[in-house]
Amino acid sequence: MAPSSNSMEALMGLMTTITRWRSDRKAGHELTSLDADELGALARDVGLSPDLLTRLTARGAGGGGELPRLLRAGGIVPERIGRTHPDVMRDMSIVCAGCLVARRCRRDLDRGWAPVVQRYCPNTETIKALQAERCHVVS
């Protein structure tokens, strides 16, 4: 008997999750295997402190994935911000990737509660400034 498409989708999702987890662990291990000078050089190359680079790497490849969702929910096109204000987008991405309440944010966004997220999001003031600058989606 052939497996159903639902069970195949679940299996593929599980395999994707495992692959991502292994990749994230490998990246974290590679970073922790660097000595202090190498870590410092790498951090300088990407414009971060060694501590922040380590914390961001620990979150894995999905770290900061909530930001585009939050921006879109507020009527902002993330790609446009990336083109018009690349430094602002980079800074907001770093803040988001290092955020300690990402799980809560993701859950609230899944529920459609973007206004609730803006009550505790460390990027809220920047998002409001972008909205005021009319970086909205053109209707």
Side-chain angles (χ1 to χ4, degrees):
M1 176 188 272
S4 71
S5 65
N6 285 346
S7 63
M8 287 301 291
E9 288 174 15
L11 179 60
M12 293 304 293
L14 177 61
M15 294 305 294
T16 300
T17 300
I18 291 170
T19 301
R20 187 178 310 129
W21 177 80
R22 289 180 73 200
S23 176
D24 290 348
R25 283 190 46 97
K26 182 178 178 185
H29 177 69
E30 289 172 358
L31 192 65
T32 58
S33 68
L34 298 175
D35 67 35
D37 291 336
E38 292 170 323
L39 179 61
L42 177 60
R44 277 190 304 280
D45 286 349
V46 296
L48 301 173
S49 70
D51 180 55
L52 182 56
L53 178 60
T54 302
R55 282 188 295 144
L56 295 180
T57 304
R59 270 235 27 227
E66 299 81 13
L67 181 61
R69 293 178 61 199
L70 182 58
L71 291 173
R72 282 190 183 89
I76 297 174
V77 180
E79 297 79 13
R80 184 180 299 165
I81 302 303
R83 284 189 312 273
T84 60
H85 302 295
D87 293 339
V88 171
M89 190 64 179
R90 178 184 184 274
D91 290 348
M92 287 193 322
S93 296
I94 290 169
V95 168
C96 186
C99 185
L100 300 177
V101 292
R103 183 174 289 148
R104 177 182 176 194
C105 177
R106 197 169 29 257
R107 185 180 60 240
D108 287 347
L109 288 170
D110 288 345
R111 292 176 177 157
W113 295 354
V116 172
V117 174
Q118 288 199 10
R119 291 182 193 158
Y120 60 81
C121 176
N123 278 318
T124 295
E125 293 306 314
T126 305
I127 292 169
K128 286 179 181 178
L130 290 169
Q131 288 170 326
E133 194 178 298
R134 301 203 171 270
C135 293
H136 284 76
V137 175
V138 178
S139 301

